[in-house]
Amino acid sequence: MHHPQFDITKIPQDTIMKCAKTMYADEYAEKAVNNPALFEEDIVPFIYLGWLYHNDLMVRNSDGWLEPKEGVPFNENDYELEDGGWNLDVTLSDHEIENLEPYLKGLEMV
């Protein structure tokens, strides 16, 4: 099955900023969106995660862990927690990914 390819450049700048300000304090959001290194590290992976989450590209595995559907490109190193390892439920909560739904649900990558 072919999954849509995520491309941050296809997301309108105002949508990116709304997502950033949902995830972070306004001041940091603006700094991160406008700084290429911070943008790649603190914005893109979490918008991608939100996009997957709100467009039915994630599933719960047999152990109850949230993970991308088979065949969806994903680098868990982008989501490593401060104490090591990764848990997407924690990441969703920490970055308020649930609240990105109005910006990312149904957002098509054409």
Side-chain angles (χ1 to χ4, degrees):
M1 178 174 165
H2 181 69
H3 296 294
Q5 295 297 308
F6 180 80
D7 182 353
I8 193 77
T9 64
K10 293 185 175 162
I11 300 178
Q13 193 64 31
D14 67 317
T15 300
I16 290 173
M17 186 59 80
K18 286 174 186 166
C19 289
K21 287 184 173 183
T22 300
M23 296 187 289
Y24 302 107
D26 287 5
E27 189 178 319
Y28 185 77
E30 289 179 22
K31 177 180 168 186
V33 166
N34 293 301
N35 175 310
L38 290 176
F39 184 71
E40 284 300 319
E41 190 173 314
D42 286 349
I43 304 293
V44 175
F46 302 105
I47 289 180
Y48 179 56
L49 182 62
W51 181 75
L52 292 177
Y53 184 75
H54 293 299
N55 290 288
D56 299 322
L57 292 168
M58 301 192 82
V59 293
R60 292 216 174 262
N61 68 21
S62 56
D63 296 326
W65 297 100
L66 195 61
E67 61 184 19
K69 285 187 174 176
E70 193 175 331
V72 172
F74 194 76
N75 180 359
E76 60 266 1
N77 295 331
D78 288 341
Y79 307 98
E80 188 166 343
L81 300 173
E82 286 180 15
D83 54 359
W86 57 291
N87 178 332
L88 294 179
D89 287 299
V90 171
T91 303
L92 289 175
S93 171
D94 286 353
H95 289 83
E96 301 199 37
I97 303 291
E98 290 275 358
N99 297 331
L100 300 182
E101 183 175 8
Y103 312 125
L104 299 177
K105 187 170 180 70
L107 188 68
E108 295 198 16
M109 298 286 160
V110 182

